[in-house]
Each structure stands twice: as structure tokens, then as C-alpha cells.
Amino acid sequence: MAADVHRKKGWEVPNGSLAPGDGQHVERSESPTPGLAQGTEPGAGQEGAMFVHTRSYEDLTSPEDGAAAVRSPEERQGEPAEPTSMEQISKDFSELSTQLTGMALDVEEEIRQSKEGKLEPSPQTTRRDSVLSGKEEEDVTMDAWRMHRKHVFVLSEAGKPVYSRYGSEEALSSTMGVMMALVSFLEAEKNAIRSIHADGYKVVFVRRSPLVLVAVARTRQSEQEIAHELLYIYYQILSLLTWTQLNHIFQQKQNYDLRRLLAGSERITDNLLDLMAHDPSFLMGAVRCLPLAASVRDAVSTSLQQAKAKSLVFSILLSGNQLVSLVRKKDQFLHPIDLHLLFNLISSSSSFREGEAWTPICLPKFNSSGFFHAHISYLEQEMDLCLLLVSTDREDFFTVSDCKRRFQERLRRRGVHHALQEALRTPFYSVAQVGIPDLRHFIYKSKSSGLFTSPEIEAPYVHEEEKERLLGLYQYLHSRAHNSSRPLKNIYFTGPRENLLAWVTSAFELYICYSPLGTKAGAISAVNKLMKWIRKEEDRLFILTPQTY
Amino acid sequence: MAQEAMPGTFLEGIRPTYIYKVVLLGSTSVGKSSLAYRYVKNDFKESLPTVGCSFFTQTLNLEVATVKFEIWDTAGQEKYHSVCHLYYRGAHAALLVYDIANKETLNRAKLWLRDLEKEFLPDEIVIALVGNKMDLAAEREVATEEGEEFARTKGLLFMETSAKSNHQVNDIFMAIAQELLQRERQKASAPSLHGRSTVDLGESRARTGCC
Ligand SMILES: Nc1nc2c(ncn2[C@@H]2O[C@H](COP(=O)(O)OP(=O)(O)OP(=O)(O)O)[C@@H](O)[C@H]2O)c(=O)[nH]1
Ligand SMILES: [Mg+2]
């Protein structure tokens, strides 16, 4: 078993300690995009970042796993942050809107092409739980199986099945065989192509020795985005085993059956795949905050900060899949991916509801070679507030447990308990609050803070399929905006059921969805108004003053 | 913080407080968490597999002493086995749980026993063999006598329980408390014997080496 984490390994450093320090605002864009400099956009932290800087999914899919995404601090300095001005935003957008017109046709056409044939509603996902009910076997020859929108397989390099999203790996071993043949063919040919398009399907391969991950998707996602999801699955496996242990196992025995070690974790992987299909956090590579009055959040953060212990690296309070507060050790940055994995772990297990959990956990983006120990517990029985205290010392249970007690005591003394409870009653806000009639939904991400905000998805996106369809549209726009060969900064998309607009700058990303009856001019003025609203609400929607121990 | 027991307190009639670390071990899904939940909350609900381990406390006010159990409910899943020794280190009692409707889990419990025997001297730890899910009579794979016999040869406490129907759950924990107190009494009356002295108990409670 790998040792506890004390110091980060040299090869992981680029992800961790090179992230911007406190009080440093960063402009990372090479492009002369006009507008807000990073660090001054709405939602940007006033006292530095909470997370490792990432370039959303490029960070995942780049060959060195994002190491290249982080520049040295020297490079960052000397790029002064420009002052924010709403007039500037509006001006930039109006100027750029000509670009939108030119883009529109092109994009529409593409969307229409990729939409050939309406999407069938996805059949009910079979949730399985190998422990409670025994794995529900799905007949591989069944139509239902073929109907699934995205199959995901994990196998070892020796071709042994490790995970299959639908149906048992056993029944799929022949499929796995075919995949292995494909993988080795691609390798042998030294072929750069890591995906195959056929018959409305995309087959995407990601190889992360000693594992091979494969997706067979009928979604409209780009290969890059599918690969990004596969990498999440890979990191999820690492979070249970560590990279070191995983490699050690396969070095000892090439055809090891990893399912034994992962038994019972399929549920966590299933949950992650479902989350990725519903929650834009993963697409945005960012974290959503629980809307909370700044004074309350500050009181919570201070209480958390004061309940510290020597071995603590991160103290995280979350509700559902939203962040309430995060306090970190000075100079240690959490990666949004690691936080997403923690969110997923918590949402896929009810066992944290009782008692106090103390569990080894690897945060693969922070350090994939060792385990932290996490103290996980809910603050109160009927309250959706989960506290995660991440410690470097596995022997430190009682100290860390005492931190929880001290935190709760401080919360009580500060009298914010009630306000927190109130905030938890409405964990999402309605888009109606913005006051733009045609606006249906939006996603706004502040790049420097790694945080995003988004209202509740409301009518007409009531049914699950409708919600997924909306996310699918965002995915599509996102993939176009981040296309590595031809990235687009502004995309205007008109569809039969809604119009969408995407605006990506070096400081933020904004995706809005509005009524199909709205005009483009209307959309642009909506963007303007929305940005003002976000600025006005930013201290409620974001964490502007992250704290350190 | 609870007072520590001083040597001789038993004999002098002051009601001492003892803190005991109790660990639940066994294959995944045998019902360890359900037993802990039944014992601590007197309730039963469908639970999901434990991640790492869960910590509970339960205080027993007995006539002769107050016993505070610190219960470590470990995860039975294979991937956590390598960290399990962390959780049972320094334990005063262990419940080896198996599922009476699954023979294989008894074999696994026997392996756990071997691990414990490597770590502890016989008088250092109270071990109970617990056959859970007694309510599943129709699916029984392990005869009561089989568990009983094995426990007898190894000198373990033994009970069949059901977390679901609340059968003998309190009883097994009570039996463990009584056995631990019995051992305290023996130690108090024969302090020269090695075995855990109360001083040692104090040390094992030191929060630095908790698990
Ligand atoms: N019929 C019956 N079912 C039980 C009993 N105790 C637990 N179960 C069920 O068995 C399953 C597993 O119970 P858990 O308590 O989670 O098992 P565990 O030993 O803690 O499992 P791990 O945490 O994975 O090690 C659940 O579905 C419980 O509802 C019992 O006494 N009778
Ligand atoms: Mg359990």
C-alpha cells in the first residue's frame, strides 16, 4: 500500500504548487481577446484562486495531462489585470456580434447534420448494485442494450474486462476481445486516430497504461469530450487505488483481474457517468457554489478555517453537488477534477449519513501516488450539509474528528446556523430572478476562480430527456468553442426549440439558452443584462474570498 | 473526557468509566453496518457498502461501571483490506461477522481471526463470532452448531443475530462488555499478571495512536 501523502512528488508539481499564489491575478490568454482580463471577471476570487488553474478539458486530454497548461509564476506576472467595465463588455460583444452572423449558418448546418434522425429517448438506465441486489444482468443481444446512448468499458492492457456500464463484463468478453484487437491495431499502425466513427456511433479509445478505456457513444459530444469523460473514469479508479498501486499490481501480474479489487465500486463509476450526463460541472471543469449570502459564507469559512489541525490539507463543506466553502492549506491547491470525484463519492454512497467515516482516498490530480485520509460526515441528520476534512495523517482520526466538533461549535456561536438552513431550502435559484423574459437558462464560468453558476433547469426542460438534451446542446457548443483545430469564441445557434449563444473569452465562458422566438439582437442585449446581474449577485453566487489555514 | 480507571477502583466501589475500542470485521454485505446501526440507533434501514470505515460511539451505564464503546465499522470490500489493520490496531474487542446464508463469509471470518491472532495475544482482545441475518432461516447455509463449534474451539464468544429483526444485537455487545469488565476485574485482583493493566488501557486511549 502506498504511503500517506506528505509532500507532492516532483512529477506532480506542475499541477499543484505552480498555480497562482494568493493575491495574484492572472491573464493567461495569448489571444488579444478584448474584454475582461482574467481575474477581474464576475466571480473571480478577490484573494486568489482556490483551485489549480486548468484549461477545462484540454487540461485532461493534453498528452502530459495538463502539465503544459500551467505556466510558471514568472510568466504570469507583468500581465496587469485590466479594470472591469460593463460598458467594455457590452462594446466587445456588439463588435464581435458580426462574427456571430458569419458563424451561424456554419454551425447550424453542422448541428443539423449531426442530428440526423431524432434522438430516441434513452431507455431507463439500469442501476445496479452488486451488493444489494446482485448485478442485474442485461442481455447483450437485447435491443435495449444497443439503445443505450453511451457504453463505457474499461479493460486492462491484457484485455481483461474491468468495468462495463451496462450488462456484465462476463457477457461482454467477446466485445472486449474485439476492442482489444482494435486497440492493438491502432497502436501497431502508430495511428494517431483514437476514435472511429461508424453508423451514427463514435468509438473513442483512451489508453492510460495499464488500462484502456473505451466509449461507444451516440451522443453529439466531440471525441475530445468523450475522451474527457473517459479520463474522469480513469481518475475515479485511481482515487480508489492510487496510480502507484494500480501499476504495481499489473507489473506483478499482467493479466490480473482488477474486478476483484474494484468489487462494489461499480456503483461509484455508474454514478459518475450519470452525473456527467446531467451535471454541467464536469463539462465546464468547474465547481458550482451553493447560493449563499456573503456574510453567511464568510462566517462558515472562518469557522472552518479556525477548526484546523496540523494534518489537514483541505476542509470542504458541500451540499448536494454544490460547494458551500473550501479552506485549504496555504500553497496547496485542489484540482476541480479531484473535487468532482469527491462529490461523486459522496453522492454515490449513503453510508456517510451515519457516524463518521474515515477513509483512504487518493486525489489523483493532486498526487496520484498516495492516499489521504478523509473524514466524511453530515453535520446533521436532516440537513444536506456534508463536511469533508482531508488529512495527510491516517492516524489522526480523533484530532480531525475534533475539528468537526469545533467547527460546529463555532457555527453555532456565530449564529449562522439558521441562515445556512434557510439557504439549503432553496439550493437553486430561478432564472426568472434575472428578469429577462426570453432567457431560459444559462451557464457562466469564471475562469480564474474555477467556479461557475447556473440557475435551476426549468420548463420546458422538465423531463429527464429534455434536460439531457439541453446539456447536450451546451456540450455541442462547448466542443465547438474549444475545438483544438478551430476554436470559436462566439457561437450563435438557432434551433427549432431554442436558440443558444456561447461566448468564450480568456476570462469567462458564457452559454445562454433562450426562447426560439427571441432575436439575435435580443440575445445580445440579454447577455449584457445577464452579465450585469451576475456581477451584482457575484458575492452570493461565488466564493470571492477563499480562505487558507 | 472520561475519567480513566485507576487500579483498584472496582474493589473500592467507585463506578469507573472504561473506554473500549470495538471493531467490526467481515466480508462485504454480511451486515456489519446494519448491526452497528441497530445497536447505536435501534433502527434498521437499507444501507450501502461502507467506504473505508465508519465510527460510532455508544455509552453503557452498567451497575458496576460506565462503558463507552468506540465502534469502528470497517468496510468489507476487498480494496479496503490492506488498510483494515489500521482500524483494528489497539482494539479491545472484535466482532467477526458472517452471514448465515452465505457459507463463504464464515470462511472469510476465519481468515480475519487468523489476522487478529497474529496481531494480538489471546488475553489482549475479546473476540466474538457473530452469525448475522438469522431471519433468513430459509436460506441458511451455515448451521448454528457449526458456528458454535468453531467459536468454542477458538475460545470466542458466539451469537447468531439479526440486525433486521433486532435479534440478540444488544446481547452480543452486552456480552462483550461483560467479558471486558470481567477481565478488568481479573487484572485488578492479579495485577502482577501481564495482560493489559489499567495503565496500559490509559495508554491505548492516547489519541495519537487511535486506529
Ligand atoms: N435479512 C437481513 N438482511 C440484513 C441483515 N443485516 C443486514 N442486512 C442487509 O444486508 C445488506 C448489507 O448490509 P450492510 O450492513 O451494509 O453490510 P456490511 O457488512 O456493512 O457491508 P460492507 O460495508 O460492504 O462491509 C443490506 O442490504 C442490509 O439491509 C439482517 O439481519 N437480515
Ligand atoms: Mg458496512
Side-chain angles (χ1 to χ4, degrees), chain B residues 32-34 48-50 73-76:
Chain B
K32 298 179 295 299
S33 301
S34 303
L48 289 173
T50 305
D73 165 28
T74 65

Side-chain angles (χ1 to χ4, degrees), chain A residues 33-106:
Chain A
T33 316
L36 295 166
Q38 202 175 49
T40 62
E41 78 279 10
Q46 286 160 4
E47 282 161 31
M50 219 165 9
F51 300 114
V52 172
H53 262 240
T54 62
R55 300 181 304 166
S56 74
Y57 71 87
E58 297 96 323
D59 186 43
L60 268 164
T61 41
S62 71
E64 273 104 340
D65 245 355
V70 184
R71 288 203 268 141
S72 72
E74 292 79 42
E75 267 180 278
R76 289 210 180 91
Q77 280 161 358
E79 288 173 287
E82 283 160 39
T84 316
S85 126
M86 289 317 296
E87 289 68 41
Q88 184 71 25
I89 298 176
S90 136
K91 184 163 157 283
D92 292 338
F93 203 81
S94 317
E95 276 167 12
L96 287 162
S97 68
T98 41
Q99 219 177 309
L100 288 176
T101 332
M103 212 82 70
L105 266 180
D106 166 20

